[in-house]
Amino acid sequence: MDPTVTIIIIVVLAIIVLSVFLSFFPIMLWIAALSSGVRVGIITLVAMRLRRVVPSRIVNPLIKATKAGLGLNINQLESHFLAGGNVDRVVNALIAAHRANIELVFERAAAIDLAGRDVLQAVQMSVNPRVIETPIVAAVAKNGIEVKVKARVTVRANIERLVGGAGEE
């Protein structure tokens, strides 16, 4: 066999093995986490792959939370993801609540998210109340005077009572 053909076969096999290795071991994500100050082990990232968790959906929000000064850990975020929650939305809501001096812990935000509510919108509504206008209600009094009423309701979200509470509808 020709030596150049052997070298080409070896290079192709090395590229295939390297691509399989890098797809299973997210080295670039691990380097990004380490450079951001988030301590995540490469074994933890591989274990996430084995649990069918996309590591970037956990590590990127963890990097955001760490840079914002929140004390979250990877197990909290991974358990919320496995429960069917949106980790990125919860972390964004926690950052917004932290910036607005609203006391919101991860467990409460995760419960609101798992209840089907938009946590970030609830935090934003708690900071900036929303005004809802009702349609015009018309009625006729006994003496024949027609009364038309249009109400404006200011809605401010109460984070502590949000799970199981009434919505905008």
Side-chain angles (χ1 to χ4, degrees), residues 38-63:
V38 176
R39 300 289 175 217
V40 178
I42 191 74
I43 303 300
T44 305
L45 296 176
V46 171
M48 278 186 203
R49 291 253 188 211
L50 293 175
R51 287 188 292 268
R52 298 182 190 262
V53 173
V54 181
S56 63
R57 286 192 164 177
I58 305 298
V59 174
N60 289 335
L62 184 62
I63 290 171

mmCIF file of all heavy atoms in Angstrom, residues 38-63:
data_model
loop_
_atom_site.group_PDB
_atom_site.id
_atom_site.type_symbol
_atom_site.label_atom_id
_atom_site.label_comp_id
_atom_site.label_asym_id
_atom_site.label_seq_id
_atom_site.Cartn_x
_atom_site.Cartn_y
_atom_site.Cartn_z
ATOM 1 N N VAL A 38 -16.616 30.027 36.923
ATOM 2 C CA VAL A 38 -17.556 28.988 37.345
ATOM 3 C C VAL A 38 -16.805 27.665 37.373
ATOM 4 O O VAL A 38 -16.258 27.236 36.366
ATOM 5 C CB VAL A 38 -18.762 28.904 36.368
ATOM 6 C CG1 VAL A 38 -19.685 27.776 36.755
ATOM 7 C CG2 VAL A 38 -19.499 30.215 36.343
ATOM 8 N N ARG A 39 -16.789 27.038 38.521
ATOM 9 C CA ARG A 39 -16.066 25.777 38.672
ATOM 10 C C ARG A 39 -16.981 24.611 38.334
ATOM 11 O O ARG A 39 -17.830 24.231 39.125
ATOM 12 C CB ARG A 39 -15.527 25.625 40.099
ATOM 13 C CG ARG A 39 -14.571 26.707 40.496
ATOM 14 C CD ARG A 39 -13.268 26.549 39.746
ATOM 15 N NE ARG A 39 -12.376 27.669 40.026
ATOM 16 C CZ ARG A 39 -11.592 28.190 39.117
ATOM 17 N NH1 ARG A 39 -11.600 27.739 37.899
ATOM 18 N NH2 ARG A 39 -10.799 29.178 39.419
ATOM 19 N N VAL A 40 -16.820 24.085 37.132
ATOM 20 C CA VAL A 40 -17.582 22.928 36.670
ATOM 21 C C VAL A 40 -16.570 21.906 36.190
ATOM 22 O O VAL A 40 -15.690 22.211 35.383
ATOM 23 C CB VAL A 40 -18.525 23.312 35.503
ATOM 24 C CG1 VAL A 40 -19.263 22.090 34.998
ATOM 25 C CG2 VAL A 40 -19.500 24.371 35.932
ATOM 26 N N GLY A 41 -16.701 20.690 36.696
ATOM 27 C CA GLY A 41 -15.795 19.636 36.275
ATOM 28 C C GLY A 41 -16.185 19.056 34.931
ATOM 29 O O GLY A 41 -17.360 19.030 34.564
ATOM 30 N N ILE A 42 -15.189 18.602 34.198
ATOM 31 C CA ILE A 42 -15.472 17.988 32.898
ATOM 32 C C ILE A 42 -16.268 16.703 33.083
ATOM 33 O O ILE A 42 -17.103 16.356 32.249
ATOM 34 C CB ILE A 42 -14.153 17.762 32.113
ATOM 35 C CG1 ILE A 42 -14.433 17.379 30.653
ATOM 36 C CG2 ILE A 42 -13.316 16.700 32.750
ATOM 37 C CD1 ILE A 42 -14.882 18.512 29.816
ATOM 38 N N ILE A 43 -16.063 16.019 34.208
ATOM 39 C CA ILE A 43 -16.833 14.807 34.502
ATOM 40 C C ILE A 43 -18.303 15.157 34.728
ATOM 41 O O ILE A 43 -19.201 14.413 34.322
ATOM 42 C CB ILE A 43 -16.244 14.089 35.740
ATOM 43 C CG1 ILE A 43 -14.766 13.758 35.523
ATOM 44 C CG2 ILE A 43 -17.028 12.840 36.077
ATOM 45 C CD1 ILE A 43 -14.499 12.855 34.339
ATOM 46 N N THR A 44 -18.555 16.306 35.334
ATOM 47 C CA THR A 44 -19.938 16.764 35.534
ATOM 48 C C THR A 44 -20.614 17.019 34.194
ATOM 49 O O THR A 44 -21.789 16.666 34.009
ATOM 50 C CB THR A 44 -19.951 18.050 36.376
ATOM 51 O OG1 THR A 44 -19.246 17.821 37.585
ATOM 52 C CG2 THR A 44 -21.358 18.496 36.678
ATOM 53 N N LEU A 45 -19.895 17.591 33.253
ATOM 54 C CA LEU A 45 -20.463 17.841 31.935
ATOM 55 C C LEU A 45 -20.746 16.546 31.183
ATOM 56 O O LEU A 45 -21.766 16.421 30.500
ATOM 57 C CB LEU A 45 -19.521 18.737 31.126
ATOM 58 C CG LEU A 45 -19.299 20.136 31.684
ATOM 59 C CD1 LEU A 45 -18.270 20.886 30.859
ATOM 60 C CD2 LEU A 45 -20.596 20.908 31.715
ATOM 61 N N VAL A 46 -19.862 15.572 31.341
ATOM 62 C CA VAL A 46 -20.089 14.268 30.702
ATOM 63 C C VAL A 46 -21.278 13.571 31.362
ATOM 64 O O VAL A 46 -22.107 12.959 30.683
ATOM 65 C CB VAL A 46 -18.809 13.402 30.775
ATOM 66 C CG1 VAL A 46 -19.073 11.985 30.320
ATOM 67 C CG2 VAL A 46 -17.713 14.038 29.938
ATOM 68 N N ALA A 47 -21.388 13.684 32.684
ATOM 69 C CA ALA A 47 -22.527 13.079 33.386
ATOM 70 C C ALA A 47 -23.835 13.725 32.950
ATOM 71 O O ALA A 47 -24.867 13.049 32.876
ATOM 72 C CB ALA A 47 -22.340 13.217 34.897
ATOM 73 N N MET A 48 -23.813 15.027 32.653
ATOM 74 C CA MET A 48 -25.019 15.685 32.129
ATOM 75 C C MET A 48 -25.417 15.069 30.794
ATOM 76 O O MET A 48 -26.598 14.831 30.545
ATOM 77 C CB MET A 48 -24.766 17.180 31.935
ATOM 78 C CG MET A 48 -24.892 17.993 33.158
ATOM 79 S SD MET A 48 -24.743 19.716 32.652
ATOM 80 C CE MET A 48 -24.226 20.401 34.175
ATOM 81 N N ARG A 49 -24.446 14.834 29.952
ATOM 82 C CA ARG A 49 -24.739 14.198 28.662
ATOM 83 C C ARG A 49 -25.374 12.829 28.863
ATOM 84 O O ARG A 49 -26.293 12.462 28.137
ATOM 85 C CB ARG A 49 -23.472 14.036 27.841
ATOM 86 C CG ARG A 49 -22.912 15.299 27.353
ATOM 87 C CD ARG A 49 -23.155 15.425 25.893
ATOM 88 N NE ARG A 49 -22.408 16.595 25.445
ATOM 89 C CZ ARG A 49 -22.789 17.347 24.470
ATOM 90 N NH1 ARG A 49 -23.866 17.061 23.815
ATOM 91 N NH2 ARG A 49 -22.082 18.380 24.130
ATOM 92 N N LEU A 50 -24.882 12.087 29.840
ATOM 93 C CA LEU A 50 -25.439 10.756 30.108
ATOM 94 C C LEU A 50 -26.858 10.844 30.655
ATOM 95 O O LEU A 50 -27.663 9.938 30.428
ATOM 96 C CB LEU A 50 -24.541 10.001 31.086
ATOM 97 C CG LEU A 50 -23.151 9.636 30.551
ATOM 98 C CD1 LEU A 50 -22.320 8.998 31.645
ATOM 99 C CD2 LEU A 50 -23.267 8.729 29.345
ATOM 100 N N ARG A 51 -27.178 11.930 31.366
ATOM 101 C CA ARG A 51 -28.541 12.137 31.882
ATOM 102 C C ARG A 51 -29.446 12.817 30.863
ATOM 103 O O ARG A 51 -30.553 13.223 31.182
ATOM 104 C CB ARG A 51 -28.491 12.972 33.163
ATOM 105 C CG ARG A 51 -27.962 12.216 34.348
ATOM 106 C CD ARG A 51 -28.120 13.018 35.617
ATOM 107 N NE ARG A 51 -27.291 14.199 35.669
ATOM 108 C CZ ARG A 51 -26.073 14.241 36.195
ATOM 109 N NH1 ARG A 51 -25.541 13.161 36.709
ATOM 110 N NH2 ARG A 51 -25.384 15.368 36.225
ATOM 111 N N ARG A 52 -28.960 12.977 29.643
ATOM 112 C CA ARG A 52 -29.695 13.604 28.535
ATOM 113 C C ARG A 52 -30.035 15.073 28.824
ATOM 114 O O ARG A 52 -31.116 15.539 28.497
ATOM 115 C CB ARG A 52 -30.940 12.818 28.179
ATOM 116 C CG ARG A 52 -30.635 11.435 27.702
ATOM 117 C CD ARG A 52 -31.897 10.716 27.306
ATOM 118 N NE ARG A 52 -31.620 9.310 27.078
ATOM 119 C CZ ARG A 52 -31.415 8.779 25.893
ATOM 120 N NH1 ARG A 52 -31.432 9.527 24.831
ATOM 121 N NH2 ARG A 52 -31.178 7.488 25.782
ATOM 122 N N VAL A 53 -29.109 15.729 29.462
ATOM 123 C CA VAL A 53 -29.227 17.165 29.718
ATOM 124 C C VAL A 53 -28.223 17.858 28.809
ATOM 125 O O VAL A 53 -27.065 17.455 28.734
ATOM 126 C CB VAL A 53 -28.925 17.494 31.198
ATOM 127 C CG1 VAL A 53 -28.891 18.978 31.427
ATOM 128 C CG2 VAL A 53 -29.924 16.820 32.096
ATOM 129 N N VAL A 54 -28.662 18.887 28.114
ATOM 130 C CA VAL A 54 -27.760 19.659 27.262
ATOM 131 C C VAL A 54 -26.918 20.549 28.175
ATOM 132 O O VAL A 54 -27.467 21.443 28.836
ATOM 133 C CB VAL A 54 -28.556 20.506 26.248
ATOM 134 C CG1 VAL A 54 -27.613 21.281 25.347
ATOM 135 C CG2 VAL A 54 -29.492 19.635 25.438
ATOM 136 N N PRO A 55 -25.602 20.326 28.260
ATOM 137 C CA PRO A 55 -24.781 21.093 29.208
ATOM 138 C C PRO A 55 -24.811 22.601 28.987
ATOM 139 O O PRO A 55 -24.757 23.369 29.943
ATOM 140 C CB PRO A 55 -23.368 20.541 28.986
ATOM 141 C CG PRO A 55 -23.570 19.188 28.423
ATOM 142 C CD PRO A 55 -24.817 19.279 27.597
ATOM 143 N N SER A 56 -24.934 23.050 27.758
ATOM 144 C CA SER A 56 -24.923 24.495 27.509
ATOM 145 C C SER A 56 -26.179 25.162 28.068
ATOM 146 O O SER A 56 -26.140 26.335 28.432
ATOM 147 C CB SER A 56 -24.806 24.775 26.012
ATOM 148 O OG SER A 56 -25.925 24.259 25.326
ATOM 149 N N ARG A 57 -27.282 24.432 28.184
ATOM 150 C CA ARG A 57 -28.503 25.003 28.758
ATOM 151 C C ARG A 57 -28.400 25.173 30.269
ATOM 152 O O ARG A 57 -29.236 25.841 30.861
ATOM 153 C CB ARG A 57 -29.707 24.127 28.436
ATOM 154 C CG ARG A 57 -30.128 24.239 27.024
ATOM 155 C CD ARG A 57 -31.451 23.596 26.860
ATOM 156 N NE ARG A 57 -32.054 24.014 25.610
ATOM 157 C CZ ARG A 57 -33.196 23.545 25.188
ATOM 158 N NH1 ARG A 57 -33.858 22.666 25.905
ATOM 159 N NH2 ARG A 57 -33.681 23.952 24.041
ATOM 160 N N ILE A 58 -27.417 24.556 30.875
ATOM 161 C CA ILE A 58 -27.203 24.692 32.316
ATOM 162 C C ILE A 58 -26.030 25.617 32.598
ATOM 163 O O ILE A 58 -26.113 26.497 33.455
ATOM 164 C CB ILE A 58 -26.957 23.307 32.963
ATOM 165 C CG1 ILE A 58 -28.094 22.338 32.645
ATOM 166 C CG2 ILE A 58 -26.732 23.431 34.454
ATOM 167 C CD1 ILE A 58 -29.439 22.757 33.161
ATOM 168 N N VAL A 59 -24.940 25.422 31.875
ATOM 169 C CA VAL A 59 -23.709 26.142 32.186
ATOM 170 C C VAL A 59 -23.815 27.621 31.805
ATOM 171 O O VAL A 59 -23.385 28.491 32.573
ATOM 172 C CB VAL A 59 -22.501 25.468 31.496
ATOM 173 C CG1 VAL A 59 -21.239 26.281 31.696
ATOM 174 C CG2 VAL A 59 -22.314 24.065 32.052
ATOM 175 N N ASN A 60 -24.411 27.943 30.658
ATOM 176 C CA ASN A 60 -24.516 29.358 30.267
ATOM 177 C C ASN A 60 -25.367 30.171 31.255
ATOM 178 O O ASN A 60 -24.959 31.270 31.645
ATOM 179 C CB ASN A 60 -25.047 29.470 28.838
ATOM 180 C CG ASN A 60 -24.025 29.029 27.814
ATOM 181 O OD1 ASN A 60 -22.828 29.082 28.063
ATOM 182 N ND2 ASN A 60 -24.488 28.578 26.667
ATOM 183 N N PRO A 61 -26.553 29.692 31.707
ATOM 184 C CA PRO A 61 -27.261 30.447 32.753
ATOM 185 C C PRO A 61 -26.485 30.498 34.073
ATOM 186 O O PRO A 61 -26.564 31.491 34.800
ATOM 187 C CB PRO A 61 -28.570 29.680 32.928
ATOM 188 C CG PRO A 61 -28.796 29.018 31.634
ATOM 189 C CD PRO A 61 -27.421 28.660 31.145
ATOM 190 N N LEU A 62 -25.717 29.441 34.379
ATOM 191 C CA LEU A 62 -24.904 29.461 35.595
ATOM 192 C C LEU A 62 -23.817 30.533 35.507
ATOM 193 O O LEU A 62 -23.526 31.207 36.497
ATOM 194 C CB LEU A 62 -24.284 28.081 35.844
ATOM 195 C CG LEU A 62 -23.499 27.930 37.130
ATOM 196 C CD1 LEU A 62 -24.394 28.140 38.341
ATOM 197 C CD2 LEU A 62 -22.846 26.561 37.186
ATOM 198 N N ILE A 63 -23.254 30.711 34.325
ATOM 199 C CA ILE A 63 -22.256 31.766 34.132
ATOM 200 C C ILE A 63 -22.903 33.136 34.338
ATOM 201 O O ILE A 63 -22.357 34.005 35.015
ATOM 202 C CB ILE A 63 -21.609 31.652 32.731
ATOM 203 C CG1 ILE A 63 -20.715 30.416 32.658
ATOM 204 C CG2 ILE A 63 -20.804 32.900 32.398
ATOM 205 C CD1 ILE A 63 -20.209 30.101 31.263
#
